[in-house]
Amino acid sequence: MRKGLPVTEAAPRSPSAPAAPSAAAGRAKLADVAALAGVSVGTASKALSGSGRMRPETRQRVLDAVEALGFRPNQHAQSLHTGRSWTVGLMTTDGIGRFSTPVLLGAEDALGAGKISVLLCDTRGDTIREQHHLRNLMDRRVDGIIVTGRRTDPRPPLRGVDGIPIVYALSPSTDPSDTSVASDDRGGAHLAVEHLIATGRTRIAHVTGPEHHAAARDRARHAVDLLERSSLRLATGRVHFGEWSEAWGRRAADAVLRTAPDTDAVFCGNDQIARGVADALRERGVDVPGRIAVVGYDNWDTMALACRPPLTTIDMSLGEIGRIAALKLLEAIDEGPVAGVHTVPCRLVVREST
């Protein structure tokens, strides 16, 4: 179902019509929204209609006020006035949804605050299906599109799209002139290694996924760089590239213990690998974190909380990536796109494995 936004308040009533209830009585007016947001009625109207130039923070204050007051605009009047559909396409290549779902939920929260409807399309990584969904979105005259995927590897931009703002989330576009929002893998890797060093670990191994994946390569490179700047080196002398799986984590733990039995920490490229490492260490009687600390990546509750002990890990802030992507899209719709990649900071989640 499509939803819209108004530019003006309802048309004047006849003298005999009963007065509309105030915001306190349950029906908010545009003036109430403006007052709560601390802006003029004109600015509030422009924020809701998508016209005019303003800072994203100002627009967000208006949208928050709309949500807080339960303001219900006139959909039909708004659409006629602006020529916009008040719908946005969310296109994902991740059928499983492990990474894209949090991104999409964050985007939908931000868009929903402005009463913008969302059309979700799953391409399943198929280029033909992607073009089919893209044509449907264009036929529906969506105001913009957010594209996300299952990996952090840059992806080719959408083809055959003219005049529709697009923002790429998590999986940035290979075209530097596009607008992309991505996780800060450099900052995430540094958080993990800095935490281990701060807890007194100096013999740190790194076990991660396939080397052809950007996430594995980037996190490994940044971890090694920080170790070298701290006058340290990898405990085993190399990065252990493999698979994004618990099975690989268990095999890699054995390889680390054979190669460098004095290892006192393992930084893993994702939580599945970390859980496999922790399981293997426990089976061999190695105390975690007493003898060897383990840090994962992704903060996937299914893995991080079920691990024994629960995993210290890096949260990629996927919901925030989606929220910022939505705000960037609204900005692009109003004022035109801003080229480049906007990175979202990760955060360290400390649990019992360190």
Side-chain angles (χ1 to χ4, degrees):
M1 185 174 73
R2 303 198 310 177
K3 302 176 182 177
L5 301 173
V7 272
T8 61
E9 299 176 48
R13 298 175 303 277
S14 66
S16 60
S22 66
R27 184 175 179 182
K29 298 183 294 184
L30 186 59
D32 300 315
V33 172
L36 183 58
V39 299
S40 68
V41 172
T43 297
S45 177
K46 291 177 181 178
L48 295 178
S49 69
S51 61
R53 298 176 63 88
M54 66 186 67
R55 299 176 62 183
E57 295 83 358
T58 302
R59 187 182 309 282
Q60 188 61 51
R61 287 206 313 275
V62 174
L63 297 180
D64 290 343
V66 167
E67 185 70 18
L69 294 173
F71 181 62
R72 293 295 177 263
N74 184 321
Q75 172 184 335
H76 183 63
Q78 179 68 8
S79 297
L80 289 176
H81 180 82
T82 64
R84 288 174 54 176
S85 66
W86 302 103
T87 57
V88 164
L90 294 181
M91 185 177 292
T92 176
T93 62
D94 185 6
I96 298 175
R98 163 65 193 95
F99 294 101
S100 64
T101 295
V103 173
L104 296 176
L105 289 176
E108 188 177 30
D109 285 346
L111 295 168
K115 304 299 180 288
I116 296 176
S117 296
V118 173
L119 301 175
L120 176 60
C121 303
D122 179 8
T123 70
R124 306 178 193 176
D126 185 291
T127 55
I128 295 177
R129 187 182 296 269
E130 179 176 276
Q131 287 299 307
H132 166 73
H133 285 309
L134 185 56
R135 285 193 297 271
N136 283 341
L137 292 175
M138 294 177 69
D139 289 343
R140 290 173 178 265
R141 300 179 62 246
V142 295
D143 297 323
I145 301 173
I146 295 175
V147 182
T148 188
R150 67 167 62 93
R151 286 160 53 176
T152 62
D153 295 76
R155 57 150 292 154
L158 293 180
R159 295 175 299 170
V161 183
D162 297 318
I164 299 179
I166 299 174
V167 174
Y168 298 84
L170 186 63
S171 304
S173 170
T174 54
D175 188 342
S177 66
D178 287 332
T179 304
S180 300
V181 182
S183 179
D184 181 9
D185 268 344
R186 178 180 182 274
H190 282 194
L191 284 173
V193 174
E194 287 168 352
H195 173 67
L196 290 172
I197 294 175
T199 58
R201 314 292 172 157
T202 58
R203 297 282 294 163
I204 302 171
H206 185 45
V207 179
T208 191
E211 189 170 7
H212 64 275
H213 284 199
R217 292 194 311 274
D218 293 344
R219 292 166 195 173
R221 183 178 75 255
H222 297 312
V224 170
D225 287 346
L226 182 56
L227 285 172
E228 291 178 348
R229 293 208 305 270
S230 302
S231 300
L232 298 172
R233 68 183 186 88
L234 289 172
T236 61
R238 68 180 181 89
V239 175
H240 295 264
F241 290 104
E243 305 165 358
W244 300 116
S245 69
E246 293 177 71
W248 163 237
R250 288 191 290 271
R251 296 196 304 273
D254 288 338
V256 169
L257 291 176
R258 286 196 306 269
T259 305
D262 59 344
T263 296
D264 59 14
V266 182
F267 168 38
C268 302
N270 79 348
D271 290 340
Q272 289 172 276
I273 295 172
R275 184 175 176 181
V277 167
D279 285 348
L281 293 176
R282 185 176 66 253
E283 290 169 1
R284 284 148 187 75
V286 178
D287 180 50
V288 176
R291 179 181 161 193
I292 298 180
V294 178
V295 175
Y297 208 106
D298 295 339
N299 195 28
W300 184 11
D301 285 354
T302 301
M303 289 292 159
L305 297 181
C307 182
R308 291 295 176 264
L311 282 172
T312 291
T313 184
I314 302 299
D315 192 306
M316 296 172 63
S317 303
L318 297 175
E320 183 67 4
I321 290 175
R323 189 187 73 84
I324 292 179
L327 295 179
K328 291 288 184 183
L329 183 64
L330 294 175
E331 184 179 354
I333 291 171
D334 293 343
E335 306 173 13
V338 178
V341 179
H342 178 93
T343 56
V344 176
C346 299
R347 63 186 182 92
L348 175 71
V349 180
V350 179
R351 298 191 180 96
E352 290 89 332
S353 68
T354 59

